[in-house]
Amino acid sequence: MTVPERLRAPEANRSNALHAGAWWVWALGLATAASRTTNPLLLGLLVGVAGYVVAARRTDAPWARSYGAFVRLGLFVLALRLVFSVVLGSPIPGTHLLVTLPELPLPAWVQGIRIGGRVTAEQLVFALYEGAKLATLLICLGAANALANPARLLKSLPAALYEAGVAVVVAMTFAPNMVADVLRLRTARRLRGRPTGGVRAVLQIGLPVLEGALERSVAVAASMDARGYGRTAAVPPAVRHTTTALTLGGLLGVCAGSYGLLAAEGAGYGLPVLLGGFAAALAGLWLGGRRQVRTRYRPDRWGVRAWLVAGSGVAVAALVILTGSYDPAALRPGVVPLTAPVLPLWPAAAVLVGLVPAFTAPVPVSPEESR
């Protein structure tokens, strides 16, 4: 059975490129779902969904190669969480004793902290669940870094946030470019028959990587200066003060409204305060944008496919949160007594909604195919 031609995702080009913000909304939705569960089966399913979408829709750009680095970082965080649980202990009680380490005596003023002692299966499983949740959060954010073009994301920011957005984009692109430099240098050393592992090889690779990062920093600074970065238009003091008041008041309103929605006693005023604060913050950003003397060339459009990609991430987060309200045990399996986790049907089906971008987002075209 073949998919009809009009339902297939088109090949990506400059005119139909997916909005970079849609990828971040999708990834943040997966990360929100991961933050609501410690079930390793659901977390593994979230990682599989993110990995499949990245494999299906990432390009050959330098930032697209950073996904593997985020996966390794997540595994490192997981291993570190297990080490901390073994060395520093855990408040989780357990009856399945695995090993007893020599315990270091500590003074009375650090009561509640221990180094060494009993290591039980329950505390290791609990640490494994918590570490897997942190690792999944990192991998979901890594998927957004691999799929979203940071330069196109910067174009979509409000004018008032442009300068802060430039700093964030430069910081976001530093790590992917550094990873690409390391891979390129290791490949070159391998082709020349030189070792790529060991302390000596790392030192010989590190210097060219730092040199390349410095050259890119100088080039970015020169490019920003040539484009008039940091130059602002003359705005009356009254407008500046109004912008500051609206922005700060709006952010305070958003915080107060969010607290009201989360607290049981603030359910009546939470939503109106949240909406009012959001509107005030948007008005402050609109006024603040008048200080920016810049234009946008061919701005990205938020089309139907962007709504589908972003909506799938929001749907995953909303359905998992809804499941946690009526069946919390399915999302957070217990460790005392120690039982095997079970894959809940409806949360797993909700996570699979995150695969929508793999079939609706435009298909990237490699340079060889575009010739």
Side-chain angles (χ1 to χ4, degrees):
M1 181 177 180
T2 60
V3 180
E5 189 69 26
R6 57 190 178 90
L7 297 180
R8 292 180 181 177
E11 293 184 351
N13 53 55
R14 190 177 182 86
S15 62
N16 67 356
L18 193 71
H19 198 287
W23 286 123
W24 274 100
V25 173
W26 167 79
L28 290 176
L30 296 186
T32 302
S35 67
R36 292 288 180 155
T37 179
T38 56
N39 190 320
L41 300 180
L42 284 178
L43 293 175
L45 189 59
L46 282 167
V47 172
V49 167
Y52 182 82
V53 174
V54 169
R57 289 299 183 267
R58 71 174 175 180
T59 63
D60 295 330
W63 61 81
R65 305 170 190 171
S66 63
Y67 182 72
F70 277 91
V71 172
R72 289 189 289 271
L73 179 61
L75 295 176
F76 173 76
V77 169
L78 176 60
L80 191 64
R81 182 66 177 86
L82 291 173
V83 171
F84 280 168
S85 177
V86 171
V87 176
L88 301 179
S90 173
I92 301 299
T95 57
H96 297 80
L97 181 64
L98 297 179
V99 66
T100 301
L101 300 177
E103 187 170 353
L104 182 66
L106 297 176
W109 55 272
V110 291
Q111 186 176 3
I113 301 176
R114 66 179 177 87
I115 299 178
R118 301 172 71 251
V119 178
T120 63
E122 287 82 356
Q123 80 177 61
L124 283 183
V125 171
F126 178 79
L128 178 65
Y129 289 175
E130 294 295 326
K133 180 171 71 173
L134 294 176
T136 305
L137 287 172
L138 289 172
I139 292 173
C140 291
L141 296 181
N145 275 278
L147 294 169
N149 187 332
R152 301 183 76 91
L153 181 62
L154 177 62
K155 288 176 55 178
S156 305
L157 288 178
L161 301 178
Y162 178 71
E163 295 183 0
V166 170
V168 172
V169 168
V170 171
M172 287 169 50
T173 55
F174 174 77
N177 285 323
M178 186 174 65
V179 171
D181 286 346
V182 170
L183 294 177
R184 177 174 54 82
L185 291 172
R186 291 189 63 184
T187 302
R189 290 180 62 87
R190 191 179 299 112
L191 292 175
R192 293 184 176 94
R194 298 179 181 178
T196 58
V199 177
R200 184 177 180 183
V202 170
L203 294 177
Q204 292 177 350
I205 292 175
L207 184 59
V209 168
L210 294 178
E211 183 180 357
L214 180 60
E215 291 178 355
R216 278 195 304 271
S217 300
V218 174
V220 169
S223 175
M224 292 165 62
D225 182 69
R227 288 170 171 82
Y229 174 76
R231 301 172 189 174
T232 58
V235 176
V239 176
R240 293 202 304 268
H241 299 330
T242 304
T243 300
T244 303
L246 286 174
T247 304
L248 292 180
L251 293 178
L252 290 176
V254 169
C255 294
S258 301
Y259 176 79
L261 290 177
L262 295 175
E265 60 274 8
Y269 70 85
L271 184 59
V273 173
L274 177 63
L275 295 178
F278 188 69
L282 288 179
L285 292 176
W286 178 76
L287 285 176
R290 299 177 61 183
R291 300 180 66 241
Q292 296 293 333
V293 287
R294 71 184 186 96
T295 59
R296 293 182 182 178
Y297 174 69
R298 301 178 68 177
D300 292 338
R301 298 178 180 178
W302 191 285
V304 176
R305 297 185 185 278
W307 281 113
L308 290 174
V309 171
S312 65
V314 174
V316 171
L319 291 174
V320 172
I321 292 175
L322 181 62
T323 302
S325 63
Y326 70 84
D327 190 10
L331 301 184
R332 297 183 176 274
V335 296
V336 180
L338 194 61
T339 56
V342 178
L343 181 65
L345 178 60
W346 291 113
V351 171
L352 292 179
V353 176
L355 290 173
V356 168
F359 306 99
T360 59
V363 182
V365 181
S366 62
E368 292 78 7
E369 294 177 355
S370 60
R371 294 175 182 175

